[in-house]
Amino acid sequence: QVQLVESGGGLVQAGGSLRLSCVASRSILTINAMQWYRQAPGKQRDLVAGITGSDITNYADSVKGRFTISRDTAKNTVYLQMNSLKPDDTAVYYCRAVTISPGRTRLYSWGQGTQVTVSS
């Protein structure tokens, strides 16, 4: 398993920007994919963005063109740059690591989450 620690959340006005960070306890080169999820009050946890070990990225339709996921392998860190924030982006944001074992079992690790609040 890998431990993940998110940071960078906060309160921002609509139209503003934030950058979230997720630091892993071991080299992210050993992790098959890193993802950001978010969960608003009373709603399910949804995938926001993901990045694979080959730097292939994917995004939820609601954030395409506004959010960018990236990674720094030297720092074992994955980032989520969030621009043009909207009140609907308000949620707790979670980082998740996906590791595929030699037996092809998928192993998931979650961070503790960081709150993002966008005011109108």
Side-chain angles (χ1 to χ4, degrees):
Q1 290 287 46
V2 56
Q3 281 72 50
L4 304 171
V5 179
E6 303 102 329
S7 63
L11 173 64
V12 64
Q13 288 188 331
S17 299
L18 284 173
R19 188 177 79 158
L20 306 183
S21 299
C22 172
V23 180
S25 59
R26 71 167 195 257
S27 171
I28 60 174
L29 293 174
T30 67
I31 300 171
N32 296 89
M34 298 288 291
Q35 300 163 328
W36 285 99
Y37 279 74
R38 67 186 180 187
Q39 187 169 23
K43 296 188 177 181
Q44 67 181 23
R45 192 174 296 188
D46 292 324
L47 178 66
V48 175
I51 185 167
T52 71
S54 303
D55 287 325
I56 297 172
T57 59
N58 64 287
Y59 298 92
D61 287 343
S62 60
V63 306
K64 282 180 181 177
R66 299 189 298 123
F67 291 11
T68 302
I69 189 170
S70 62
R71 63 181 192 148
D72 185 335
T73 56
K75 297 181 178 180
N76 296 329
T77 302
V78 174
Y79 302 100
L80 185 67
Q81 178 67 43
M82 306 186 295
N83 298 329
S84 302
L85 283 162
K86 306 174 182 180
D88 283 350
D89 295 318
T90 295
V92 177
Y93 284 70
Y94 298 90
C95 181
R96 185 172 87 160
V98 183
T99 305
I100 302 175
S101 72
R104 308 305 294 173
T105 300
R106 287 178 178 253
L107 305 173
Y108 302 102
S109 300
W110 290 92
Q112 82 289 350
T114 185
Q115 176 71 46
V116 171
T117 303
V118 184
S119 63
S120 57

